Amino acid sequence: ERRQSLIRPLLPLPGASFDLEDYTVQTEISKNNYADYLWKEGNRHLAQGTVSEARNAYYSFWRLKQLNTNLSQIDSLLKLAHFQGTDFVYVAIENRTEQVIPRRLETAILDFDTYKLDDFWTEYHSTKQNDLNYNFGVILEIRQILISPDRVYEKEFLREKRVRDGWEYVLDDNGNVAKDSLGNDIKRPKYANLKAKVLVTTQDKSVTLNGNVLFRNLREGRNFSQVPISSQFVFENIFAQFEGDEEALSREDERLLRRYFAEFPSNEQMIYDTSTDLKQQFATILKRKKFR
């Protein structure tokens, strides 16, 4: 029928004849047979009650809908097959350390709206819904938190710079002002050596979180995969003070002079500050992991 549809607009053609057939009835019979097959296959898959069979049912019903059939139940069957074929994944954080993890850190990590993890067949939840059967679980297990003390380092630098500082007369051997060939006094640039001492202070504090991402089959009650995860955040503040000639300072010195001593963040704040990096790593691990 497709070949004939290409020829039909060109007819009649001189010196050529074509025997065209009407395939309307055969096409309608085949379409109905295929629709009947898809309907039976979809319901057969759906009756198996497994996730993989529900997905097969969905694709049968979807192809059935493409045939433009007027089955009233098709949309509800598609919805049912999609629901039964979806892996609902419960995600939680477990603190295996002896330190308190800020509640807002857990909230930030479990904010899945920022992860964009859900796909057509997988849905992640940080809060369990009673009407759902969760197939898989993901546990972010934090096993170690290492926090350094507040550290301050000081280092002194000597800056020297030779700069032009006006001019002076050139004297001859007798101590008199020397003259050029025209009898004019001879002058030359005068230079000064400027010096300054710069004290650079560095404040430093760091935190490291180590743990694992555990993937668990909740139906079978066992872990089937484990991925290590580690995140670090470093607080650093550098500033400077000086004594001596300001003109001897470098541009970097001048930039540091505009900075001042800062209060060290608390341990709780430091732990929370790892959340951005921890979320990125956690999201990457989840996106790479296939449950089926």
Side-chain angles (χ1 to χ4, degrees):
E1 179 58 32
R2 191 177 300 114
R3 287 196 213 97
Q4 290 184 154
S5 67
L6 296 173
I7 298 170
R8 196 173 284 113
L10 306 176
L11 299 180
L13 287 174
S17 63
F18 298 92
D19 294 328
L20 301 182
E21 298 287 341
D22 184 357
Y23 293 105
T24 303
V25 175
Q26 293 95 318
T27 301
E28 191 64 25
I29 292 173
S30 295
K31 179 179 176 181
N32 290 336
N33 288 339
Y34 185 47
D36 185 59
Y37 164 78
L38 290 174
W39 172 262
K40 291 178 180 177
E41 279 294 286
N43 282 283
R44 182 179 68 81
H45 287 305
L46 198 58
Q48 302 301 311
T50 66
V51 172
S52 58
E53 288 296 310
R55 294 180 183 182
N56 290 332
Y58 180 90
Y59 293 124
S60 293
F61 292 137
W62 181 84
R63 288 194 294 270
L64 180 58
K65 187 173 182 178
Q66 306 313 302
L67 295 177
N68 295 318
T69 56
N70 295 320
L71 292 171
S72 58
Q73 308 105 308
I74 193 66
D75 287 331
S76 61
L77 286 171
L78 278 168
K79 186 176 181 181
L80 177 62
H82 179 253
F83 177 79
Q84 293 186 3
T86 297
D87 280 324
F88 295 98
V89 182
Y90 176 62
V91 185
I93 297 177
E94 290 188 1
N95 181 8
R96 300 294 188 185
T97 72
E98 296 182 355
Q99 295 170 264
V100 176
I101 295 178
R103 182 63 184 171
R104 55 188 180 136
L105 174 65
E106 293 190 35
T107 302
I109 293 174
L110 296 178
D111 179 13
F112 293 121
D113 290 339
T114 61
Y115 285 67
K116 297 181 179 179
L117 290 174
D118 291 350
D119 58 34
F120 191 74
W121 291 117
T122 311
E123 195 172 305
Y124 294 85
H125 294 172
S126 59
T127 302
K128 280 190 175 181
Q129 298 181 19
N130 295 329
D131 58 338
L132 293 180
N133 291 320
Y134 289 88
N135 302 324
F136 300 101
V138 178
I139 300 172
L140 174 57
E141 182 186 53
I142 299 177
R143 303 194 66 86
Q144 187 180 50
I145 301 176
L146 303 174
I147 304 175
S148 75
D150 300 353
R151 295 174 294 206
V152 179
Y153 309 97
E154 292 183 339
K155 195 169 184 179
E156 189 174 88
F157 300 91
L158 178 63
R159 307 297 190 208
E160 294 185 80
K161 185 181 292 185
R162 181 175 168 83
V163 299
R164 187 166 178 172
D165 186 23
W167 55 271
E168 62 184 359
Y169 288 109
V170 177
L171 304 178
D172 59 20
D173 295 338
N174 297 321
N176 300 315
V177 177
K179 307 288 185 180
D180 59 19
S181 58
L182 298 177
N184 299 317
D185 293 343
I186 299 176
K187 300 177 183 178
R188 64 186 176 192
K190 182 181 178 182
Y191 292 91
N193 291 322
L194 305 180
K195 295 183 179 181
K197 288 183 179 179
V198 180
L199 181 66
V200 177
T201 303
T202 301
Q203 297 174 254
D204 176 84
K205 186 175 184 178
S206 64
V207 60
T208 301
L209 269 67
N210 296 317
N212 299 298
V213 179
L214 306 177
F215 293 88
R216 187 169 182 81
N217 187 318
L218 297 179
R219 298 287 181 89
E220 300 176 3
R222 63 177 181 85
N223 295 337
F224 61 90
S225 185
Q226 176 176 308
V227 181
I229 190 170
S230 180
S231 179
Q232 184 180 57
F233 179 80
V234 176
F235 165 80
E236 185 180 69
N237 181 51
I238 305 175
F239 63 96
Q241 299 168 297
F242 84 100
E243 293 180 355
D245 295 308
E246 188 171 354
E247 289 185 51
L249 303 177
S250 66
R251 288 186 177 180
E252 177 64 14
D253 295 335
E254 293 173 352
R255 186 184 70 84
L256 294 179
L257 286 171
R258 294 192 291 269
R259 301 174 64 98
Y260 302 93
F261 182 89
E263 291 295 329
F264 280 95
S266 65
N267 290 352
E268 178 181 338
Q269 180 63 44
M270 289 290 293
I271 295 172
Y272 174 74
D273 287 336
T274 65
S275 62
T276 300
D277 178 63
L278 196 62
K279 282 184 68 173
Q280 291 175 347
Q281 291 193 50
F282 191 37
T284 299
I285 292 172
L286 293 178
K287 288 176 181 178
R288 288 178 178 175
K289 189 65 180 177
K290 301 299 181 185
F291 291 97
R292 295 184 186 274

